[in-house]
Amino acid sequence: MIDFAEMRRAMVDAQVRANDVTDLRIVAAMMETPRERFVPAGLRNFAYIDDDLLVKEGNPSRYLMEPMVLAKLLQAAEIGPDALVLDVGAASGYSTAVLAKLAGQVVALEEDAELAAQGSAVLVDLGLLNAAYVQGPMTAGWPAEAPYDVILLNGSVDSAPDTLLAQLKPGGRLVAVVGRGRAGRATVFTKTTGSIGGRVVFDAAVPTLPGFEARLSFVF
């Protein structure tokens, strides 16, 4: 019998605490959230590895971000207990479950119907009633519930998406990894009156969030 609780504790100690995540609310949320519930049954033994984890093969394939990157993004976002959060590319819902323990309300945006259904069922089973899935294009955000205090992007993007930045409250933050591979930089974008400011907080390499790739252009 696999001791997932012990694996969870080891993940938090070795991957989260060891990488300068000092917010005790995040530490507690990740200690309490059963990551194995959000991955395919055949991969549950790998639920707590220090890497991005495939949750659906296809074109595109979908992943959960590695725990360390997620934890550091959440710390950089400075999520208050009353915050309204949009979780973009929620996939099977692990990030949403963690967010639900930090924020007042979480909107999990996912365009893959199968992943949304799976994630929604687990959230209900865990009693996380302050989080709910909506289905639609990730690049469009979810304006029906905007403006948001925080928007989290579960994957890398080539640039900060204006459509999502427009859905922030004044003072709101969008956190994302900008750039691919070794060029990836975890960045906090903050909305102020009439402008958006960006601040790089750490280096990170995570899979690209589908739909947010820059369009190729040709110069003649």
Side-chain angles (χ1 to χ4, degrees):
M1 181 72 68
I2 297 173
D3 188 344
F4 286 116
E6 182 57 34
M7 292 175 68
R8 194 176 311 126
R9 180 179 298 279
M11 177 200 75
V12 171
D13 288 343
Q15 301 176 39
V16 178
R17 295 180 191 269
N19 282 284
D20 300 321
V21 177
T22 57
D23 188 324
L24 296 181
R25 296 174 62 236
I26 296 172
V27 171
M30 297 187 81
M31 190 76 80
E32 296 167 2
T33 304
R35 186 175 168 90
E36 72 275 7
R37 295 287 305 276
F38 298 92
V39 304
L43 294 177
R44 286 180 179 169
N45 292 0
F46 304 98
Y48 294 97
I49 63 171
D50 186 13
D51 202 352
D52 307 298
L53 188 61
L54 179 72
V55 292
K56 185 172 183 180
E57 291 186 282
N59 186 21
S61 295
R62 300 297 300 280
Y63 296 82
L64 300 183
M65 287 194 297
E66 65 176 288
M68 179 272 287
V69 174
L70 174 63
K72 295 188 73 167
L73 283 172
L74 296 180
Q75 181 163 270
E78 300 180 354
I79 301 166
D82 298 321
L84 173 60
V85 180
L86 178 63
D87 189 17
V88 178
S92 57
Y94 175 71
S95 58
T96 304
V98 175
L99 282 165
K101 297 177 182 295
L102 304 174
Q105 183 178 354
V106 185
V107 178
L109 175 60
E110 179 52 54
E111 60 188 51
D112 184 294
E114 182 181 13
L115 286 174
Q118 293 171 359
S120 183
V122 177
L123 293 179
V124 171
D125 191 51
L126 294 176
L128 299 173
L129 303 182
N130 63 329
Y133 269 82
V134 294
Q135 190 178 348
M138 294 185 290
T139 54
W142 195 255
E145 298 292 337
Y148 299 97
D149 296 289
V150 172
I151 298 176
L152 168 70
L153 272 63
N154 278 277
S156 69
V157 297
D158 286 336
S159 61
D162 291 338
T163 301
L164 298 185
L165 291 171
Q167 294 178 28
L168 288 172
K169 292 180 181 179
R173 284 87 58 206
L174 182 149
V175 290
V177 175
V178 179
R180 305 190 198 186
R182 294 184 179 180
R185 303 289 183 268
T187 307
V188 180
F189 297 92
T190 303
K191 186 173 187 177
T192 58
T193 303
S195 65
I196 298 289
R199 175 173 61 91
V200 174
V201 286
F202 61 96
D203 296 341
V206 296
T208 301
L209 192 59
F212 290 89
E213 307 91 341
R215 293 183 178 181
L216 296 176
S217 60
F218 296 93
V219 178
F220 297 95

